[in-house]
Amino acid sequence: MIQLNPDDGALTLIPILCLLLILSACSVGPNYQEPDISSVMNEQWLVAGENRERFDPDRQPMTAWWQQFNDPELSRLIAQLVSSSRALAEARQRIVEVSARQGVVDADRWLQLSAAFGYTHAETGDQAVSLQGWPPGKSVSVVSAGVVAGWELDIWGRTARLLEAAEEDVRATYGVYHGLMVSLAAELTLAYIDTRTLEARLENVRETIVLQEKSLRLLQTRLQAGNGSTLEVVRAKRFVQTTRARIPDLEKNLSLAKNRISLLLGLPPGQGVLHPGPLPSVPLLIGVGLPIDLMTRRPDIRQAVHHYHGSVARIGAAEAERYPALRLSGTLNLSSDTLGNLLDADALIYSLGPGLSFPIINGGRIESVVAVRTSQAEQARLVLEQKIIAALAEVENAAAGVLFSREQTAELLSAEQLAAKSAELAESLYRAGLSDSFQVLSAQQELITIQESLFLARQQALSEVVRLYRSLGGGWEVTLAGADTAQEKEAKQNIKQ
């Protein structure tokens, strides 16, 4: 690097300095432009477009989508999630951290000023010999106070580009936080659906055991009266015990589901109190909007856009290293052998002037850095396109899951009604002496099997709705008053959402 320090004839540099100050409003490197996503973005949804009775492309998905389940307990848990989740609190602290890093970059734009105060006592012996320092036989005390100032003019926009990239890093970190909110809300809802399904299955099993025990007592009474057979009684007992054997596994899975809710809420197991309630209902019509809406709704896509923007800005920062750098620096010191003379005008020592430096030979380092930043920007653009394609596939898969799970539920509901009627007819025929107990028990067992399948189908249908909303990216806009700390609120004010 070549340093040019002005002397008393530095007035010749004034025109150059004026020119550099004018250039300081410029920024080298490419300016960010919205990427062309037409090649990876569909105009319409495939499944939703063909099934408008289930999906509405003209209506945006609900922000608080869980409210469509009409379950106050679920809404309460989601509200608690925002305020109590340790994972969300950690993500908010990352926003605080990245916002502080933005402040570090921003500081380079401003004048740097530091003050210093010192005291030095030096003494040399009579025979001391040194080519530097005090002569022999001297004893000196020095008191000094002063300031040092420095300011690097951002002529080519290097700092401006770095600040632009830092702002995009903050926005990308918000995308991470919002994405986590979507994921946790979906996981909590899925855990809640699992819990309600297991509760309903347990209740159904217990009700079935009551009916089977009633049939068993009836068979035992007939056997004692000489109108039944031991085989019928043994077979009935086997059905009762088989049904009872399902309870431990269901209770174990119910405990796991409740613990999962506690974990998601950031609470120890057993502290996530869940009030009684029914299995939620599936929304009849779901607003899905248009594919292009994913650009603003999906946090991971928004995050990828900000990463791409920041990568483009860093190309400009690397390009600025090719050009001269101008730094204004100065020092002001008061130095005296006594404290009383420190403020005397004769104790003043100062220096002030610009310094200009520019690269000549760097072994291709700057060109390599520019190539690295350019490649990183291209990688970020490709990541963005891949995320868009993956998001489209997730929505289409989830919409298909919603559609087919609803069809399966409808078929099983019809099958349950027929099985219930069959069990009722079998019992009537048995009481009339026109059938044996085996047909009654078989009809009851068939009903139990279909009911179990129906519960699982309803659980699957609800889960597919949750996955659809998660793939659409909704829910991150929801926040609670008081969920953010003072630092987090300040970080949000430092950047425009």
Side-chain angles (χ1 to χ4, degrees):
M1 307 289 276
I2 295 178
Q3 285 287 138
L4 299 178
N5 292 313
D7 52 18
D8 293 336
L11 294 176
T12 57
L13 289 177
I14 291 179
I16 299 177
L17 294 179
C18 293
L19 177 61
L20 292 176
L21 286 172
I22 294 174
L23 292 175
S24 65
C26 304
S27 293
V28 299
N31 292 320
Y32 172 75
Q33 295 181 348
E34 293 289 339
D36 182 10
I37 59 172
S38 57
S39 62
V40 295
M41 179 65 73
N42 292 339
E43 295 183 359
Q44 299 289 336
W45 298 116
L46 301 179
V47 175
E50 297 173 356
N51 298 273
R52 288 181 172 268
E53 72 282 359
R54 297 294 187 188
F55 310 101
D56 187 0
D58 299 324
R59 181 165 60 94
Q60 285 291 322
M62 285 186 63
T63 299
W65 48 264
W66 48 86
Q67 294 179 359
Q68 287 201 71
F69 294 121
N70 298 316
D71 193 318
E73 180 67 6
L74 175 59
S75 298
R76 182 190 69 83
L77 291 175
I78 296 294
Q80 184 178 354
L81 170 72
V82 178
S83 60
S84 67
S85 170
R86 302 299 195 275
L88 285 176
E90 179 188 358
R92 288 195 294 269
Q93 282 300 317
R94 289 198 206 104
I95 295 174
V96 175
E97 175 193 348
V98 177
S99 297
R101 292 180 183 276
Q102 176 190 347
V104 174
V105 176
D106 185 54
D108 290 338
R109 297 191 302 162
W110 308 105
L111 173 69
Q112 307 296 311
L113 187 66
S114 59
F117 178 82
Y119 169 78
T120 302
H121 177 77
E123 187 171 344
T124 59
D126 294 337
Q127 302 301 320
V129 177
S130 175
L131 296 178
Q132 298 177 347
W134 303 106
K138 291 291 183 178
S139 177
V140 180
S141 295
V142 178
V143 181
S144 63
V147 294
V148 178
W151 182 28
E152 182 176 342
L153 298 179
D154 193 21
I155 300 175
W156 312 108
R158 183 185 70 86
T159 303
R161 291 297 194 190
L162 290 177
L163 182 59
E164 180 184 355
E167 290 174 348
E168 294 305 315
D169 288 343
V170 176
R171 294 188 175 97
T173 307
Y174 269 105
V176 175
Y177 170 64
H178 295 154
L180 183 61
M181 175 63 208
V182 172
S183 179
L184 289 178
E187 289 300 320
L188 180 59
T189 306
L190 290 172
Y192 181 80
I193 291 171
D194 291 347
T195 300
R196 291 305 189 207
T197 301
L198 289 164
E199 289 175 343
R201 291 169 64 190
L202 267 171
E203 183 180 359
N204 183 66
V205 167
R206 292 187 176 110
E207 290 176 354
T208 300
I209 291 174
V210 171
L211 294 176
Q212 289 178 339
E213 288 178 340
K214 182 179 178 181
S215 298
L216 174 60
R217 287 193 296 271
L218 176 61
L219 291 174
Q220 289 174 334
T221 300
R222 290 172 64 91
L223 178 61
Q224 291 173 359
N227 296 327
S229 68
T230 304
L231 178 60
E232 289 179 330
V233 173
V234 171
R235 185 184 292 132
K237 286 182 178 180
R238 178 170 60 84
F239 275 103
V240 172
Q241 291 174 347
T242 301
T243 306
R244 281 178 178 168
R246 294 169 53 196
I247 291 180
D249 186 60
L250 291 173
E251 289 180 336
K252 180 199 73 172
N253 291 330
L254 178 59
S255 177
L256 294 177
K258 289 182 176 180
N259 288 341
R260 206 161 93 230
I261 291 177
S262 296
L263 177 62
L264 290 168
L265 294 177
L267 300 173
Q271 292 190 18
V273 178
L274 186 64
H275 301 127
L279 187 65
S281 56
V282 178
L284 296 178
L285 182 64
I286 300 176
V288 294
L290 296 174
I292 192 63
D293 297 327
L294 295 181
M295 294 295 295
T296 55
R297 289 186 58 85
R298 287 269 301 211
D300 58 335
I301 293 180
R302 295 168 68 243
Q303 177 190 357
V305 170
H306 295 313
H307 273 155
Y308 175 52
H309 188 165
S311 299
V312 172
R314 287 186 173 90
I315 297 175
E319 289 275 5
E321 297 286 349
R322 302 179 189 269
Y323 303 100
L326 176 64
R327 181 175 180 83
L328 301 178
S329 60
T331 61
L332 176 64
N333 280 295
L334 295 169
S335 182
S336 176
D337 57 353
T338 63
L339 186 61
N341 295 329
L342 187 62
L343 299 180
D344 193 292
D346 292 334
L348 178 64
I349 304 173
Y350 76 93
S351 65
L352 177 65
L356 185 64
S357 63
F358 52 89
I360 295 180
I361 299 175
N362 55 65
R365 181 188 63 84
I366 296 177
E367 289 73 14
S368 296
V369 173
V370 171
V372 168
R373 299 305 186 198
T374 303
S375 176
Q376 288 174 341
E378 180 63 13
Q379 292 174 49
R381 186 187 66 81
L382 294 172
V383 168
L384 170 61
E385 292 183 352
Q386 182 59 36
K387 284 186 179 294
I388 293 173
I389 295 173
L392 294 174
E394 286 179 14
V395 174
E396 293 290 356
N397 293 340
V402 170
L403 183 66
F404 298 137
S405 62
R406 280 180 171 176
E407 293 178 357
Q408 181 186 29
T409 302
E411 294 294 338
L412 286 171
L413 185 60
S414 299
E416 182 199 26
Q417 295 172 350
L418 293 174
K421 186 175 182 180
S422 177
E424 183 180 350
L425 289 174
E427 185 174 357
S428 298
L429 291 173
Y430 175 72
R431 291 182 180 278
L434 300 177
S435 176
D436 58 19
S437 63
F438 179 74
Q439 291 183 340
V440 175
L441 295 173
S442 297
Q444 290 178 347
Q445 191 64 29
E446 183 180 4
L447 176 61
I448 294 170
T449 302
I450 293 177
Q451 286 175 336
E452 180 72 8
S453 299
L454 181 58
F455 279 123
L456 295 176
R458 285 175 174 169
Q459 178 186 15
Q460 182 66 24
L462 288 166
S463 299
E464 293 294 348
V465 171
V466 174
R467 294 185 181 97
L468 175 58
Y469 276 115
R470 178 167 58 185
S471 63
L472 290 170
W476 57 265
E477 303 92 339
V478 178
T479 57
L480 288 181
D484 296 341
T485 65
Q487 286 180 311
E488 293 160 5
K489 290 178 181 178
E490 182 180 357
K492 290 184 177 181
Q493 292 173 357
N494 289 338
I495 184 168
K496 186 181 296 184
Q497 291 296 296

